[in-house]
Amino acid sequence: SLRQRQQTRHQQLSSADWDDSGSLFKYEQHDALELAVSCLEEAAKHTPCDGRLYNNLGIALERLLERYNTANNNNSNNNNNNDDDNGSTPHDNSAMMMTVELNERIRTAYETSTAIHSACQRVGCDVAADFESACLNRGLYLSKLDEFGAAVEVLSRMTVQPAYDDGDAADNAADNVAGDAAGAWARRRVVEDAMRLLSFCQKQL
């Protein structure tokens, strides 16, 4: 399976595979993404309560799925051009199983992220920005699967929904929910994007 290949590659890495700056020089970009996923999953084993880590894992897994689907579609097109038989092949079945596996891992990562941040909020921790980011990413993923009802449920959990009428009001509201200008701008963008996605998903129901 893909997970087994990632674990094998991770175990085979040695200090010689890294340069002084900590960046890979031995692996191509394709391997680097799988390695990143393996590292995030390994880190999650040691810090299972890090919601931001699971959010990043979900993003990395989505990128891996997108690239896998692109490569698989290209292979399928080549096979169709060279073979008149359109029946199911072992490669097709393997590709389907791999897609299902990756989607399950993406769901689990995003669900874990939002659950951790939600629990932290309930006990008074200031993780609103991280929670909003996790909700947006999870909502985007669900909308790609046309699961609009589930996306609405997730996005509706966000309690900060500012309606900005002018630039000054936007700046003042952002300053109230974030400590610095860059953080305020980034959080405001996340919330606005989430509210637009929420509106879109609601219209699909």
Side-chain angles (χ1 to χ4, degrees):
S1 68
L2 176 61
R3 186 188 294 271
Q4 290 173 329
R5 293 202 304 272
Q6 291 172 342
Q7 290 174 342
T8 299
R9 182 175 291 108
H10 179 72
Q11 292 169 355
Q12 291 174 341
L13 285 175
S14 67
S15 59
D17 295 323
W18 300 82
D19 63 13
D20 293 337
S21 64
S23 62
L24 281 172
F25 67 88
K26 189 175 180 180
Y27 292 91
E28 297 179 355
Q29 183 177 1
H30 178 80
D31 294 317
L33 180 54
E34 289 190 7
L35 178 62
V37 170
S38 295
C39 290
L40 287 168
E41 290 182 327
E42 184 66 22
K45 295 177 183 178
H46 299 283
T47 53
C49 295
D50 189 337
R52 186 180 296 180
L53 174 60
Y54 281 102
N55 189 30
N56 289 333
L57 175 58
I59 294 171
L61 285 168
E62 274 202 84
R63 291 180 179 174
L64 190 62
L65 176 61
E66 290 170 0
R67 192 170 59 193
Y68 176 79
N69 285 338
T70 299
N72 185 59
N73 289 336
N74 291 337
N75 289 335
S76 297
N77 291 335
N78 291 334
N79 291 336
N80 289 337
N81 291 334
N82 298 326
D83 191 350
D84 293 333
D85 183 6
N86 293 324
S88 177
T89 66
H91 177 270
D92 293 333
N93 294 332
S94 176
M96 183 178 299
M97 292 177 61
M98 190 70 70
T99 299
V100 170
E101 176 194 337
L102 282 170
N103 275 303
E104 288 177 350
R105 291 162 68 186
I106 294 168
R107 280 184 191 274
T108 299
Y110 283 141
E111 288 173 359
T112 304
S113 179
T114 53
I116 290 173
H117 287 128
S118 180
C120 290
Q121 282 189 317
R122 288 196 297 271
V123 297
C125 298
D126 183 11
V127 294
D130 290 329
F131 178 65
E132 291 156 7
S133 177
C135 285
L136 174 58
N137 289 329
R138 186 178 172 190
L140 279 169
Y141 170 70
L142 292 170
S143 68
K144 293 176 185 177
L145 301 178
D146 293 339
E147 298 183 16
F148 299 112
V152 167
E153 191 275 329
V154 170
L155 295 167
S156 297
R157 299 179 190 178
M158 296 173 61
T159 56
V160 179
Q161 302 179 16
Y164 301 125
D165 297 325
D166 56 67
D168 291 338
D171 291 338
N172 291 336
D175 287 341
N176 290 331
V177 297
D180 58 80
W185 181 87
R187 184 177 176 191
R188 185 171 65 197
R189 285 294 302 273
V190 167
V191 173
E192 290 175 345
D193 288 346
M195 293 305 102
R196 281 193 290 268
L197 179 61
L198 174 60
S199 176
F200 170 79
C201 291
Q202 289 172 330
K203 293 176 182 178
Q204 309 309 309
L205 300 177

